[in-house]
Every structure is written in structure tokens, then in C-alpha cells.
Amino acid sequence: MTSWAGRTAAEIAAAVREKRVTPREVVAEHLARIELLDARVGAFRTLRATAALAEADAVAARADLAELPLAGVPVAVKDNLAVRGESTRNGTAASPDTPADEDHVTVARLRAAGAVVVGLTNCPELCVFGTTEGVYGTARNPWDTTRTAGGSSGGSAAAVAAGMVPIALGNDGMGSLRIPAANCGLIGLKPGHGVVPAGIGHGDWFGMSENGPLATTVEDARLMFSILAGTAGSTAAEAATGVVRAGESVTRTVAVSVRSPLVGVTVSRPYADAAREAGELLAGAGHRVRRADPPYPVWLGTTSLAHWTAGTAVDAEGLDPRRLARRTRVHAALGRRFVGSVRGGVRREQLRERFEPFFAEHEVLLTPALARRGPAAAEWHRRGWLRNVLVNTNCSPLTPPWNLTGWPAVAVPFGTLPSGVPGAVQLVGRPGSEAVLLELAGQLEELRPWTRTAPLGGAGGGL
């Protein structure tokens, strides 16, 4: 008997289109895996077992089944995006438990492509922090369940890494796709601003938040991204973003930097070594690779904090503060002081202008994805605000600059840390370079293949 849990989205969709398996069989097998494993992983806030099976049958009955790029593919959706008929809790008890009337546009696009939503995944309250825990549970890293999956798309990343779904939908406002992707050994693509519809919270954190895919292969990430962006099958769109076709070879100019963007935060040796080694592999593949640090300004840390807290302040408006965790209340209270100053986007424009000469010289920036591995899976929502901020900042200083600029960035699995969990690097490019980043990610995947699904064995050691 063929097992479909653990297969890629591309493999599943091809089999469904060719009627080698039915959508119901695929979805039922993934639901069974979720029931088996999720008590240990904590990926899902709610499971849509009955609804998903009915929707799988509806996909099988579609007249255009043979043309659906995600025919019968089970997907998970982060619990801050609307799924018709389900409440959107955004990780907090302060949100209304009211079913959504319509799908978010990204969810609608996935369903139109033949995907089946099996459940909504855990995220931290208001998606603020880079760990995922709260009133609905704790999302753990399937590679080491003593550690957080990361955040804020931690539940989505955990679901994919555990083989509960082949792909999942998340979003990224300060690293919320790339952080859990890096922790869990996945591809996590934050598109550039305006490429994929946002509509996240109340104002997308001033335009910094983007929806994007979590996947185990570059092929799946590229497929899901094309559907989310509305460009599936569009050769014109591929040409505009510089995609490389079979048989072509394009030399890219890549800068490798292992410097932390934030003053006082260092990058641990395993992550720095991973970035250097990835650069060496790309150089060996014919790319022009050299060491070069972006001109990070000294004010980057304060600017990041101002935007981060202000986005939370806006999202917390109208919610009962008594039902919010203390760390969230403090974050929002601080952010209210900055809402007016960050709304105009002056610092963000200054940052773009500062980086433009660097990216005129280098097509792509390669960095470590994280500075160190994710912290323990614990009740961080019950701990103090400052402790949370320091842990988040020390783990993930390399992701926020690219939300501030609105430029695309992708986390790519690379190597293994001393603890036995996956390592990761980050690729960053100019606006419109998503296909270039995925092209280079695909070369790294070919040169240094990674294990796609966590074995869910024992806990890993320390860094």
C-alpha cells in the first residue's frame, strides 16, 4: 500500500490528477497522522476532520481535476487567516469565537487550486513573538520536542516538519515564517511587499507582514508561492522575476555575511559556519561569491522595536486587555507611543536607500537564518516581557531588516547543528527576486540535500 503522508505536494497532486489515489484517501491518511502525533507536537489549534473529508470529495468531483496544481493536497492554515466556517483566534482568548463568512484570499486561492484545508495551526498571541505557545497549546519542534517550533507561524512549521501536511500557509512580520522554518528544517519564503495579498491583522504591521509558504522542498515552495501570488502557469511572470529554465545557467553575484544586524547580538558558530559553507558551495557551482556585510545602521534595533510594538498596539485595539497575556499588554502599551511615528514609514525608506547600493553590487545576500537555535518549549506567555524580547532578539536578529525594507527573503535548510536539529541559512534579494532566491535555494538543495521530515525521535542535545 502506498503511503501518502510524507510525500511532497507535487507528488500528491500528480497522483490525484492521474487518479492513482483519491483526495479522500490522501486527506484521511494525513488526518490519521495528525491524530497520532499532534499530542506531542502541538501544531493544530483546531482540526477540520469531517469538513476536510467532505471537501476532499468535492475536489474529486470537480470537472477540472486533471488541471488542478494542488489537487487533493492537504494544507494547514495559520490561525490568523480566515477559513470559511471556522473562527480565527489569532492565538488569543480575547478574539471572538465567531466563524468566518469567507476565506482569506490566500486560502481561497489554495482551495481554487485543489487544496484541502485540514486545520488551523497554533500561533502565539497576536503573532507577536518568535515562539509559539499560549492558551491553545505549545507548538514544538518535531526534530526536538523539548524545543519551540519557533514563531509566530510555529504551528504551521511543526505540522509540515512532522509530515502532518506537505505544505502550510503562514505569514511573516519580523521573521515569523523564516524563524520556524529555520528551526524545523523547512523552506520558508517571505515574499516581497505586494507580491502576495496580505490582509493580516489590522494593517499588516504597517505593510511589513507578508503571507507565504512553508514546505519541505523548493519545488513545493515554488508551486505554492505561484498559487498564492496568482501567477501559477504564468511564463510572463517567471520571465519578469528571472526564473532559470531547464538547461540554462545564470551566474549570480552573492554576498556572504555572518554579521548580526543588531549591535550587541552575536551569531553562534554553527550558524555562521553554515552560511560560509553554503557560500562555498554556491561558488563551486559557478556563482561570484564574496564576503561583504550590508551597511546595517546603528539605529536598526530601535527602529525594529518601534515597528514591532506599534504593530501589536494596532492589533490589540478593541480587545479586552484582561484576556491578553501580560507580555502582550506590555508590548502593545509600549507600541502605542510609536504608532504615529512609524506610520509614515520614514525610517523604512531610509533603510531601503541605505541598502540599495549594496544590492546594486550584489544580487543576493546570504546570511545565517538564525543566530542560535530556538529556546525551550515552555510557557513563555507567562514570563516577563523583557525576558521574551531578549530571547527573541538573541535568537533571530537577522530576519527583521527585510520586513522593514519589504524585500523578499527565504530560509533554507542547510546542514545539521551539533544538537542534531537542522541548520539553516537565509537568502535575501531585491524587489521582484523571489524566483532568483528559489533558484539558489534549489541549487543548495541539490548540492546538500536535507531530510524532509523529522523522525520524531528523542530530544536533541545542546549547542
Side-chain angles (χ1 to χ4, degrees):
M1 178 179 176
T2 300
S3 175
W4 295 101
R7 296 291 192 96
T8 69
E11 290 173 329
I12 290 170
V16 170
R17 288 193 299 266
E18 296 164 9
K19 298 190 176 181
R20 290 184 280 121
V21 65
T22 67
R24 173 175 276 266
E25 289 170 329
V26 171
V27 170
E29 187 175 327
H30 284 82
L31 289 171
R33 185 170 177 86
I34 294 168
E35 292 286 358
L36 177 67
L37 298 178
D38 202 39
R40 295 173 59 192
V41 176
F44 286 89
R45 197 266 295 176
T46 188
L47 197 59
R48 309 179 65 250
T50 301
L53 290 171
E55 290 168 18
D57 290 340
V59 170
R62 284 178 58 169
D64 59 349
L65 177 68
E67 302 167 6
L68 298 177
L70 291 179
V73 173
V75 301
V77 175
K78 185 177 178 180
D79 194 22
N80 68 339
L81 296 172
V83 173
R84 186 181 63 253
E86 305 292 339
S87 59
T88 308
R89 302 311 302 264
N90 204 8
T92 180
S95 59
D97 188 13
T98 306
D101 293 330
E102 300 291 340
D103 286 331
H104 185 277
V105 61
T106 54
V107 177
R109 287 181 177 183
L110 292 174
R111 281 178 154 164
V116 177
V117 178
V118 298
L120 286 86
T121 57
N122 276 320
C123 55
E125 188 168 65
L126 303 187
C127 299
V128 175
F129 292 101
T131 57
T132 295
E133 65 290 304
V135 294
Y136 301 114
T138 297
R140 300 171 180 270
N141 187 342
W143 294 91
D144 178 356
T145 54
T146 71
R147 295 275 159 177
T148 180
S152 62
S153 303
S156 285
V160 176
M164 298 178 189
V165 287
I167 53 176
L169 178 60
N171 35 57
D172 190 315
M174 293 289 277
S176 290
L177 276 164
R178 290 161 290 156
I179 294 167
N183 278 327
C184 296
L186 304 175
I187 296 284
L189 172 65
K190 181 195 80 68
H193 181 64
V195 176
V196 170
I200 305 159
H202 301 292
D204 308 324
W205 279 13
F206 307 97
M208 296 193 304
S209 293
E210 307 294 345
N211 293 309
L214 288 156
T216 64
T217 67
V218 173
E219 179 185 26
D220 275 4
R222 183 182 289 115
L223 172 62
M224 186 174 176
F225 167 63
S226 69
I227 292 164
L228 295 175
T231 60
S234 171
T235 55
E238 291 174 348
T241 51
V243 70
V244 174
R245 303 189 184 285
E248 294 182 359
S249 178
V250 175
T251 299
R252 306 294 183 187
T253 304
V254 181
V256 177
S257 173
V258 298
R259 174 190 165 194
S260 168
L262 302 182
V263 176
V265 179
T266 59
V267 176
S268 67
R269 183 171 179 177
Y271 277 103
D273 286 348
R276 294 188 185 102
E277 189 173 350
E280 291 170 2
L281 285 180
L282 292 178
H287 298 287
R288 294 187 293 271
V289 179
R290 71 182 185 92
R291 174 73 182 270
D293 294 328
Y296 299 119
V298 294
W299 44 262
L300 181 58
T302 55
T303 296
S304 297
L305 182 64
H307 285 76
W308 182 21
T309 57
T312 301
V314 174
D315 283 347
E317 290 177 1
L319 297 179
D320 184 351
R322 296 170 298 180
R323 308 199 74 182
L324 296 174
R326 184 175 181 274
R327 67 174 183 177
T328 308
R329 294 198 304 269
V330 173
H331 208 74
L334 179 61
R336 282 193 286 272
R337 307 177 186 181
F338 301 120
V339 170
S341 62
V342 305
R343 198 180 294 279
V346 174
R347 276 299 201 196
R348 296 183 64 198
E349 183 56 35
Q350 289 174 344
L351 194 62
R352 284 189 285 264
E353 291 174 356
R354 189 178 181 96
F355 286 149
E356 279 169 357
F358 181 88
F359 280 89
E361 186 176 355
H362 311 95
E363 284 182 89
V364 174
L365 170 67
L366 190 159
T367 75
L370 300 173
R372 47 194 42 79
R373 68 171 181 165
E379 292 187 331
W380 288 98
H381 62 298
R382 301 188 188 277
R383 298 179 179 178
W385 173 81
L386 182 59
R387 190 175 180 187
N388 273 274
V389 168
L390 290 176
V391 164
N392 278 242
T393 301
N394 282 309
C395 286
S396 53
L398 297 124
T399 54
W402 316 114
N403 297 94
L404 290 166
T405 60
W407 294 352
V410 59
V412 185
F414 192 86
T416 304
L417 301 182
S419 60
V421 302
V425 297
Q426 176 179 233
L427 299 170
V428 182
R430 294 171 288 194
S433 66
E434 288 87 356
V436 173
L437 300 183
L438 290 172
E439 167 205 324
L440 291 176
Q443 292 182 12
L444 290 175
E445 181 180 27
E446 182 178 351
L447 294 167
R448 185 65 56 84
W450 53 79
T451 302
R452 296 193 305 103
T453 303
L456 282 170
L463 246 183

